[in-house]
Amino acid sequence: MKYIAFLVGALFIPSLSLVHGAVGFIDVAPDTLDYEAGTEVPLEVRIRTLESITSLRIHLRYDPATLEVRQVKPNTETFPYWWTQEAVNGTITLEASLPKPGFKGEDLVAAVVVAAKEAGTKLLEVDEDASLLLNAQDENILKPREENSPQNDYKIANTQSGGFVVVFGGLLVIGVVLGGVLFLRGRKK
């Protein structure tokens, strides 16, 4: 019986750590839109995380010659402590934190309303070099933009769950074989 407990602990627990994927994404919706001068466009700044975060800093770039930021309304329900929510010289800065255990999942960070000064299509762009999604250990879990797409979200989910299944399945087979050998060996004595 002690062999079984050892095998379960030795094989199952390490396989769980292999699934741990620290990734987070910042999205602005819509990302592009045809607009005319004078049009007000409501936008949503959202995050998606697979690991809990306790702090965020989001920098969004825009062309101040084309767009004017009329309103930045932070989500104080999910993110109760706001340090910065401003639009200055073509950059919207959003900085907030929340107590442990933090936030994990998908939610609205802020609603932003911009007004078009002239016709165009470009809206807000995430400045990844200046943005952070920090976990409780102060590690940035923000994924680079080229990896932030619905196709890659699908690949990430399949890789993580598929990797878990392969690793867990392999460890399970090894455990069954080792358990069988130990069982047969114990019966011979």
Side-chain angles (χ1 to χ4, degrees), residues 1 3 29 45 68 77-78 89 149:
M1 185 59 124
Y3 291 118
V45 180
E68 173 189 347
E77 191 171 306
T78 303
N89 299 325
S149 70

Side-chain angles (χ1 to χ4, degrees), residues 55-93:
S55 297
L56 63 84
R57 178 178 69 210
I58 300 174
H59 284 216
L60 305 168
R61 302 256 185 246
Y62 65 96
D63 181 0
T66 307
L67 299 173
E68 173 189 347
V69 177
R70 294 263 172 99
Q71 182 182 26
V72 177
K73 186 175 187 224
N75 177 356
T76 56
E77 191 171 306
T78 303
F79 307 99
Y81 305 112
W82 280 87
W83 313 116
T84 308
Q85 64 229 0
E86 64 183 9
V88 178
N89 299 325
T91 301
I92 297 172
T93 304

Side-chain angles (χ1 to χ4, degrees), residues 65-186:
T66 307
L67 299 173
E68 173 189 347
V69 177
R70 294 263 172 99
Q71 182 182 26
V72 177
K73 186 175 187 224
N75 177 356
T76 56
E77 191 171 306
T78 303
F79 307 99
Y81 305 112
W82 280 87
W83 313 116
T84 308
Q85 64 229 0
E86 64 183 9
V88 178
N89 299 325
T91 301
I92 297 172
T93 304
L94 304 168
E95 294 178 329
S97 62
L98 63 162
K100 287 181 182 178
F103 169 79
K104 177 182 175 183
E106 181 177 346
D107 204 353
L108 178 73
V109 173
V112 177
V113 177
V114 296
K117 294 181 180 179
E118 57 186 55
T121 58
K122 191 173 180 183
L123 294 167
L124 304 179
E125 185 177 293
V126 177
D127 181 350
E128 293 174 348
D129 294 333
S131 297
L132 301 169
L133 297 175
L134 297 178
N135 64 16
Q137 293 76 38
D138 287 333
E139 299 167 329
N140 185 12
I141 65 166
L142 179 62
K143 269 292 198 194
R145 191 78 188 150
E146 62 270 2
E147 297 178 31
N148 184 6
S149 70
Q151 295 82 12
N152 281 330
D153 287 352
Y154 176 76
K155 288 177 191 172
I156 289 168
N158 281 339
T159 300
Q160 287 175 342
S161 63
F164 174 74
V165 170
V166 169
V167 170
F168 183 71
L171 291 174
L172 190 61
V173 168
I174 291 169
V176 168
V177 169
L178 285 175
V181 168
L182 291 173
F183 177 76
L184 291 173
R185 202 169 153 202

Side-chain angles (χ1 to χ4, degrees), residues 20-41:
H20 178 72
V23 293
F25 303 99
I26 301 170
D27 296 307
V28 178
D31 56 351
T32 62
L33 178 73
D34 290 329
Y35 52 83
E36 299 297 322
T39 304
E40 279 198 355
V41 181

